[in-house]
Amino acid sequence: MSNPIKQMMKEGKSALGCFVGIYSPALAEILGHSGFDFVLIDNEHGSFSWSEVEEMIRACEVSGVTPIVRVVSSAPSEILKALDRGAKGVHVPQINTGEEARAVVAAAKFPPLGNRGAAYSVRAAQYGIRKGSSYLQQSNDDVLVCVHIETPQAVEHIDDIMQSGIDLAFVGPTDLSVSVGYPDQQNHPELKAMHDKVLAAGRKYGIPVGILAPDRAMLEQHRAWGADYIGLNLTSMLYSTFTSFTNR
């Protein structure tokens, strides 16, 4: 398997990455050289063009870090663009039902597993060098399909979502806290119960569970909780580092 993140989680290891919404190929390289397992190129809240996404993916490859793209929506065209550029996986926000999750899986997989449009002229296929059944099968095996659990509705339907064919369920703690009326109260008992329900469903169906950590303390808390995949936020890390010098 050539997707290191999928292999890590298959072996029971926890993957650590960084969400980046700022266009900077150099920064993507630095994150790779710093030892992160993946870089999440955030095209939901970031302001990337597709050509910039492609350059970020190239920079990740230079330093050996796995490039994953968070797309704007579950639209098949968004998923197709990210994967054709060479992303090893996609994060898809605001997925609330098993039906929606199955549509995401279908958009990310070539037939017969899905309905992703095939083209051998794209970067993911090395501009035509890779083609045919071997390329299609390898792509289907490699792609990491991650859906975000960000609403009470998604938590309610978590069993069906876990059985949809996804590779990873990612708890979006900020959106989830806002949607239930407890913004930024990550340790609120109701939110923690929702997080635990997602993790329990992941264990039941053998699907890894990820979550975002705003700081080092929460990172360690999530590790102890049992997260298989943890994302840090670039801007939070930068502010923490910069203010350690300015004492603000």
Side-chain angles (χ1 to χ4, degrees), residues 26-37:
L27 183 55
E29 276 193 74
I30 290 169
L31 289 168
H33 291 310
S34 298
F36 283 95
D37 300 309

Side-chain angles (χ1 to χ4, degrees), residues 87-128:
K88 286 295 186 180
V90 288
H91 277 222
V92 182
Q94 298 290 330
I95 296 302
N96 294 313
T97 67
E99 181 180 4
E100 291 176 359
R102 282 186 282 274
V104 168
V105 174
K109 303 281 188 176
F110 292 117
L113 301 182
N115 50 37
R116 175 182 168 189
Y120 300 134
S121 60
V122 297
R123 183 172 184 275
Q126 296 178 353
Y127 306 105

Side-chain angles (χ1 to χ4, degrees), residues 18-73:
C18 185
F19 281 49
V20 180
I22 300 169
Y23 176 64
S24 172
L27 183 55
E29 276 193 74
I30 290 169
L31 289 168
H33 291 310
S34 298
F36 283 95
D37 300 309
F38 66 91
V39 167
L40 193 291
I41 302 161
D42 187 358
N43 212 26
E44 181 189 15
H45 295 294
S47 57
F48 299 97
S49 67
W50 282 116
S51 61
E52 289 173 339
V53 168
E54 186 169 305
E55 291 305 318
M56 291 289 285
I57 290 171
R58 281 195 179 95
C60 289
E61 293 170 350
V62 166
S63 58
V65 65
T66 300
I68 298 171
V69 175
R70 175 157 69 168
V71 293
V72 174
S73 71

Side-chain angles (χ1 to χ4, degrees), residues 21 40-41 63-64 69 73 77 79 99 114 138 146 156 161 172 184 189 206:
L40 193 291
I41 302 161
S63 58
V69 175
S73 71
S77 58
I79 295 169
E99 181 180 4
Q138 188 67 53
C146 171
E156 179 183 351
I161 291 172
D184 300 323

Side-chain angles (χ1 to χ4, degrees), residues 107-181:
K109 303 281 188 176
F110 292 117
L113 301 182
N115 50 37
R116 175 182 168 189
Y120 300 134
S121 60
V122 297
R123 183 172 184 275
Q126 296 178 353
Y127 306 105
I129 293 175
R130 300 178 64 202
K131 60 182 67 176
S133 59
S134 61
Y135 164 67
L136 301 175
Q137 181 62 56
Q138 188 67 53
S139 297
N140 282 348
D141 290 343
D142 285 351
V143 64
L144 175 78
V145 181
C146 171
V147 300
H148 280 220
I149 309 302
E150 299 177 305
T151 66
Q153 183 184 7
V155 177
E156 179 183 351
H157 293 103
I158 194 61
D159 284 79
D160 197 18
I161 291 172
M162 290 294 187
Q163 298 177 82
S164 64
I166 62 170
D167 299 299
L168 176 67
F170 190 88
V171 177
T174 301
D175 274 307
L176 187 57
S177 70
V178 170
S179 68
V180 299

